[in-house]
Each structure stands twice: as structure tokens, then as C-alpha cells.
Amino acid sequence: MFDSIIGNLTKYQTLVVTLDVAVFMQLIGLFFVVLIDRYISRMHRRLFLIIDILLTVIVLENQFGELLDYSKTPYVIWIFINILGYIIRPIVIMLLIKIIDDDNQQGPFWGLIVLNAIIYMTAFVSPIAVSYDENGSFHRGPIGYSCHVISLILIVWNIAYTLYKYREKIYKEGIIPIIMSVGIILSVFADSSTGFNAPITFLTVSMVSGCVFYYIWLHLQFVREHEDALKAEQRIQIMISQIQPHFLYNTLSTIQALCHADPEMAAEISGKFGTYLRQNLDSLNQADLIPFSKELEHTKIYSDIEQIRFPSIQVNYDVVDSDFLLPALTLQPMVENAIRHGVRARKQGIINVTVQKLEGCYEIKIEDNGKGFDVTKLDSMENTHIGLRNVKGRIENLCNGEFQIESVEDEGTCVTIRVPSAE
């Protein structure tokens, strides 16, 4: 029986030591990672370093309190060590809130934290908050739950504000702070109901782990913002690649020439040209898919302008079904590419655009009788067919579609785009 008791104590001590080491490793690792991290903002880096230091103080306070002998320790020092954790914990929660809520309207909450510190500092002169008897036993006074109540208020606010701020994408970005807040609440109940009297409590472990996950969450925010920036840059590059300078100059020259020869036609082209430019600019802010009918309208405006400049070009549209979505600037660049690099070289250039619904997808075909090119050399053509590569990438990445090119030199080119249907 004695050996069994010793064995259980040894297992318990091993568990406690393992927990201590794990917590310290998290704090030490987090400190140095945050210290060298240049991806998060300076303010967030400073907040994390302060939180890490405060949590380290809490862990050391728990350990130091276990080692002190009450009978040999001055009462003032004993009180200070034992109330330190009650004062620091709400501060840590407040700093975690500040990471999410950067509106700088947290004055009332900081007032609660100051009030909490004052309440526990009364332990030096009064037992109204906490006290210890001659044996060093802990006694909680009438307002001894100040730390718990104020921390709960802060956590509830953190959850409510997170739900509000990330209400449109809570499952993607706001779930981590909420899980960590709930974990802190559950750890308080675990400490008070399980009787697990280890130097490092469930609450301390949950706060340290929560801080680590907050740091991971912050990096997820950086990744999302970086992806958004890349998408915005890509849209700008696409627009610039589609609004070619020579097209602008030639169209303006055509309008200028028609002002004297055919004012009505000049006015018509001016209106179409303005619509074309506006729709290209609108594509900068269009991150989602757009109706095909809108893309078709944009394409027809472009082809109408080009057909006035090049009367030998004929663009035919055979649209059976147009009730689907696709990325902006998908069809128009293909028609533009067919005109610029294909049918201009023909005495009678013909482009046929057909759209039909197949099983599980919508198929768009752009066929021309232009000069064609060697498809195997497409990747080595840096500027000539950049529109093809842009469209191919967006079709595959944004709507999981297919993009195929078939071309025979001196005969023509056929581009096939397949967009999955909603079903």
C-alpha cells in the first residue's frame, strides 16, 4: 500500500513537472518568436511581449508561492506574492482584447482593472478581499471574487466584440478568440470544482495556450490581408494589361476623325468607349464572380469599337444559355486577343463566340480564322499572349474551371472555357 501511494505521488509529481516545463517552453518560445517577427505590427509585437512577461510572472509567482515557508516569510511579502496573480490576470485579458479591439475606447475597462488592483491591495491592511491565518491558510473575503467578476466581464465583452467584428466570417477568423475566451472560463470552473491543486492551475495553462493561439490567429490575419493585397494587385495588372495604350490612342484618334466625317457615329463610339473604360475600372473592385451577361455586354462594346476601326473583322455571337457566373474580364480579353493577334492579318477576319450549357458546366468557345500560333511556345511568349495566361489562371483558381487552347498556324485558334454549373 505504501509503495502504491509513493507511486501515485511520483506520477503526480511527474505530471506537474511536465506541465511546468511545457508552459515555460511555450512562454520562452513565444517571447523569442515575437521578438524577431517582422510580419505583425509594432503595436501587436509590443502587446505580445508584455503579455508573455506578465504570464511568466504569474507562473513564477505560482511556483515561488509553493516554495515559501509561511512561518519564515514576512507577512507583507507573503501577501504580495499571493495577490499578484489576481492583479495581473485581468490585465492579460485586457491586453488580449486590445489585440482585437484597436479602437482605443477601453477606458472603462482599464478603470475596472485599476479598481481590481486596489481591492486586492487592501489585503495588506484588511481581510475584506483575501487574508491568511496563522497557519498560512487562505481565506477569501466578501469582495474576494473581484478578479473573477471583472475577468468575466472582460471575457464576455471580448466574445461579444469578436462576434460583432467578424459577424460575416466568424467561422474563418473570429472563432479562435472565442474558443480561447470560452477555454479561460471553463478553466476557472475546472480549478474550483476538480480539487486539482497543482502549482500551475488550469487557468494559467489556458491563458498561456490562449496567448500562443492568439499569436497564430494574428498571423492568419496577416496571411488573409496579404492574399487580399495580391488579389488587388492582380486585378490592377489585369486591367492594365487589357487597356492597352495603343487601343486608347487609336480609339481616340478614330473618334477625332469621325467628329468631322460622321458626328453621330463619333458620339456613339464615345459613349461605348466611356462604358468600356468604366467597366474595366469596375473590375478593380470586383473580387467575386460576375454574371456572364455583364461580361458579354462588355465584350460586345469592345468588339463594336474595333469593328468600326477594322471593318473587315466580323464577330458573331451564338449564346444559348447565359445564366451563370464567371470571373470578370474573361471573355473580352479572349476576343481582344483574337482580334489583335489573329484576324487582323486576314482580309476577312471572323470570330465566332458560342456559349452553351453542357452536363455539369457551361462551355464558352472563341474561334477565329486568324494566323494561329504554336501552343507549345505559349509560356515563352512573355508579352504577346499574357491575356491568355491571366484568364487561364483566374478560371482555374476562382471558379475551378477549365481552360484549353487549340491553335494551328495559318489556320486559326480555338479557346475553350468550361465553368462548372451551380448544380
Side-chain angles (χ1 to χ4, degrees), residues 218-259:
L218 201 64
H219 264 280
L220 292 177
Q221 298 291 300
F222 169 78
V223 170
R224 178 185 59 79
E225 292 172 0
H226 183 63
E227 288 180 347
D228 291 343
L230 288 178
K231 290 178 181 178
E233 182 180 355
Q234 184 186 44
R235 290 197 297 273
I236 293 174
Q237 291 176 346
I238 291 169
M239 187 207 72
I240 292 175
S241 69
Q242 299 311 318
I243 306 179
Q244 299 293 336
H246 66 82
F247 173 70
L248 299 179
Y249 300 148
N250 292 336
T251 302
L252 291 173
S253 297
T254 301
I255 294 173
Q256 184 180 24
L258 287 172
C259 284

Side-chain angles (χ1 to χ4, degrees), residues 377-418:
K377 298 180 180 179
L378 178 62
D379 293 335
S380 62
M381 300 176 181
E382 294 184 0
N383 297 318
T384 306
H385 294 291
I386 186 173
L388 294 176
R389 292 193 294 272
N390 281 338
V391 173
K392 181 177 186 296
R394 286 183 291 123
I395 285 292
E396 293 175 348
N397 297 327
L398 296 181
C399 62
N400 198 28
E402 298 179 10
F403 184 94
Q404 298 175 352
I405 303 176
E406 299 175 359
S407 186
V408 179
E409 293 189 54
D410 296 325
E411 292 187 15
T413 302
C414 177
V415 176
T416 303
I417 298 173
R418 295 186 181 91

Side-chain angles (χ1 to χ4, degrees), residues 96-97 100 153-163 177 181 214:
L96 290 175
I97 291 176
I100 298 178
I153 292 173
L154 296 176
I155 291 173
V156 170
W157 166 256
N158 189 37
I159 295 175
Y161 186 83
T162 303
L163 287 170
S181 299
Y214 258 74

